[in-house]
DNA sequence: GTCTATAGCTCGATAGAC
DNA sequence: GTCTATCGAGCTATAGAC
């Protein structure tokens, strides 16, 4: 693993744990076992490094989601698999947490991957739900786009509840709740 | 308005906008129009000031929610009023955003009001939903606690989606989505 | 490509005058 | 109760040797 890669991985971890404002170049270097010279040789500064880290995380997330939503099963089964997928709930969502960071949202380059990831996710879920509705899994009046937004929101909000409670339980409760509503729709 | 009050109000605003890590005593003082001496006379430091600010915000939020959930109307009407209540969606939730702050969650004193507020909110919503179920508004197999978690999660996640999109629209979509599911449950 | 040294700044907090 | 002066530490970044 090259120094550049180690720096990106360290940045990913720290952005996830502490956010952009709470992450210093110094901390990144120490976790990566690299010096300042190395970091500023490969990247122009903190924003540049963050961009590489966020891009990699967004890519990974899309691939992971696509593996489930593009897989076999009914719409309900796939949405259920997505919501119940194994997760380190208390760590939260590495992309979602960036929306709380004013400096990330103020920088168009850093903000774009966040916006695009959630846009893609909502569209992808809406397609699965529309497929299920057309196959008669749901009531014909179910609105795919709206319901997709609800499902993604339950996930993101579930992380918030779990962190507030200091326990993964509310996350799973919220997910089970929306699945119960969905399977009777 | 006393200097102490101005300091608390400034802290509330800054915690909402920038989080705990992103908020400096210096910035608080400047927004409050107070000097360092004043701040450190009234408060022992940043954590003490944050505690006062968070406590006040939590109290305000509970009062606002109780006004709606304790008001007249069916369960669906009250939950709907809560979700559709006028909000500055893009600012997010002043309590929910604190869950993303590692230093807040690491300090038991700062964390307690966050944990308690969400605990209370879920219980309060569960009570409203149980009432509705017992009155025959919902299917008898609706789980109040689970569904309450879902509703709160939709709200918190709705803020995340809205901020990611740079528009309040996904928030309202997610809220409408869960209300549509709920009114057919 | 990586190192050390250093810059100018802000951080959170304390001291002591008034 | 509020002011100014100051502290030691960490921040992001640059310079220049190797």
């Amino acid at each position: 693993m090259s120094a550049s890669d180690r720096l990106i991985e360290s940045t990913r971890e720290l952005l996830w744990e502490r956010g952009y404002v709470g992450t210093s170049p110094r901390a990144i270097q120490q976790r990566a076992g690299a010096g300042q010279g190395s970091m500023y040789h490969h990247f122009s500064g903190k924003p540049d490094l963050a961009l590489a880290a966020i891009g990699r995380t967004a890519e990974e997330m899309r691939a992971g989601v696509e593996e489930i939503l593009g897989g076999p099963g009914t719409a309900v089964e796939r949405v259920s698999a997505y919501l119940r997928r194994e997760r380190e709930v208390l760590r939260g969502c590495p992309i979602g947490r960036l929306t709380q960071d004013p400096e990330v949202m103020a920088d168009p380059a850093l903000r774009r991957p966040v916006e695009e990831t959630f846009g893609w996710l909502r569209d992808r879920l809406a397609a699965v739900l529309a497929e299920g509705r057309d196959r008669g899994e749901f009531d014909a009046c179910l609105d795919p786009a709206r319901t997709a937004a609800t499902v993604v929101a339950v996930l993101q909000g579930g992380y918030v509840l779990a962190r507030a409670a200091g326990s993964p339980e509310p996350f799973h409760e919220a997910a089970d709740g929306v699945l119960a509503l969905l399977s009777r729709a």
Side-chain angles (χ1 to χ4, degrees), chain A:
Chain A
M1 205 179 192
S2 70
S4 170
D5 269 328
R6 289 202 316 276
L7 284 161
I8 293 177
E9 288 306 309
S10 301
T11 307
R12 295 217 294 155
E13 290 173 17
L14 284 164
L15 285 181
W16 196 353
E17 290 168 21
R18 311 194 31 87
Y20 185 82
V21 176
T23 297
S24 68
R26 184 172 225 273
I28 293 168
Q29 294 151 24
Q30 284 176 343
R31 190 172 294 211
Q36 302 197 31
S38 180
M39 182 189 131
Y40 284 103
H41 171 75
H42 293 289
F43 302 95
S44 69
K46 180 174 163 176
D48 189 29
L49 195 37
L51 185 61
I54 294 171
R56 194 178 278 188
T57 298
E59 219 176 309
E60 243 183 39
M61 170 167 297
R62 268 161 94 134
V65 171
E66 185 55 39
E67 208 178 321
I68 293 177
L69 294 187
T74 65
V76 173
E77 281 168 357
R78 282 178 285 163
V79 171
S80 176
Y82 171 55
L83 283 170
R84 288 181 167 149
R85 170 190 190 186
E86 243 185 286
R87 287 186 160 84
E88 295 171 280
V89 171
L90 290 178
R91 296 186 75 183
C93 174
I95 300 293
R97 84 111 60 224
L98 299 172
T99 61
Q100 300 299 325
D101 225 305
E103 299 193 20
V104 170
M105 300 318 275
D107 182 332
L110 295 181
R111 187 209 171 108
R112 179 174 303 118
V114 176
E115 185 166 354
E116 284 180 356
T117 300
F118 279 113
W120 174 84
L121 183 54
R122 292 206 282 140
D123 287 349
R124 194 66 191 82
L125 261 171
V128 171
L129 291 168
E131 202 184 310
R133 183 197 54 188
D134 296 344
R135 284 187 187 158
E137 282 185 56
F138 308 118
D139 192 300
C141 74
L142 177 127
D143 183 322
R146 190 176 282 178
T147 312
T150 301
V151 170
V152 181
V154 165
L155 206 84
Q156 294 296 315
Y159 287 126
V160 172
L161 296 189
R163 287 180 64 92
S167 153
E169 192 238 345
F171 176 96
H172 299 301
E173 232 182 332
D176 288 350
V178 78
L179 286 172
L181 290 173
L182 199 57
S183 58
R184 268 183 287 118

